[in-house]
Amino acid sequence: MTVQRMDNVAVVVDDLPAAVAFFLALGLELEGEAEIEGLFADHTVGLDGVRSAIAMMRTPDGNSRLELTKYHHPAPIGAGPAAPNTLGLHRVMFAVDDIDATIARLRPHGAELLGEVARYEDSYRLCNLRGPAGIIVALAEQIG
């Protein structure tokens, strides 16, 4: 048996509407929202009494999805923003057509550059920024 595809990446957030607004500003589309609870949720994630709200965001090409999750119960555990060299999930990267315009759209939603926009040879302009719940969101603009 082989993997068919990567279905989604999930990010736990404390403010679901703000996270949805951030990723809408980035250019993702809201696929749907749902309240999640019950034994299937408890069994799936390995916690008791799960009550959460999710928003499924989809890239415009329809090939990738980002699940934003707000836990009502049990309460989320605060981890703080990770540094780029922290073990574990590093970042989520999106290809954009105009990196400067994208950054400008995301700043009102709390985005902060971790460094600066850098050029990789004659191929890409790249940057890392801090997004919802402290996650690192990388942007890549192909230039060559």
Side-chain angles (χ1 to χ4, degrees):
M1 175 161 293
T2 62
V3 171
Q4 295 175 351
R5 69 180 181 280
M6 186 178 84
D7 190 68
N8 70 67
V9 172
V11 175
V12 176
V13 299
D14 57 349
D15 186 338
L16 188 58
V20 168
F22 178 94
F23 287 105
L24 285 172
L26 178 59
L28 275 67
E29 301 165 355
L30 179 62
E31 186 173 88
E33 297 178 279
E35 296 290 324
I36 306 296
E37 62 183 310
L39 274 179
F40 86 94
D42 293 1
H43 292 168
T44 300
V45 300
L47 297 170
D48 292 326
V50 170
R51 282 186 303 105
S52 64
I54 67 166
M56 192 64 72
M57 309 295 295
R58 180 183 56 235
T59 56
D61 66 3
N63 292 325
S64 301
R65 296 178 0 193
L66 181 69
E67 178 184 307
L68 303 172
T69 303
K70 162 71 176 163
Y71 276 89
H72 301 294
H73 187 270
I77 299 169
N85 61 340
T86 302
L87 293 175
L89 182 63
H90 178 77
R91 60 156 169 74
V92 59
M93 179 178 266
F94 296 94
V96 299
D97 57 5
D98 183 336
I99 201 166
D100 298 311
T102 302
I103 294 167
R105 281 196 321 272
L106 295 177
R107 283 187 191 223
H109 298 280
E112 297 177 23
L113 281 171
L114 295 182
E116 58 189 60
V117 177
R119 186 179 180 119
Y120 176 72
E121 298 178 349
D122 290 327
S123 302
Y124 289 95
R125 294 181 69 220
L126 305 158
C127 72
N128 282 346
L129 51 88
R130 190 72 64 191
I135 66 167
I136 297 172
V137 176
L139 304 176
E141 174 188 348
Q142 189 169 6
I143 56 174

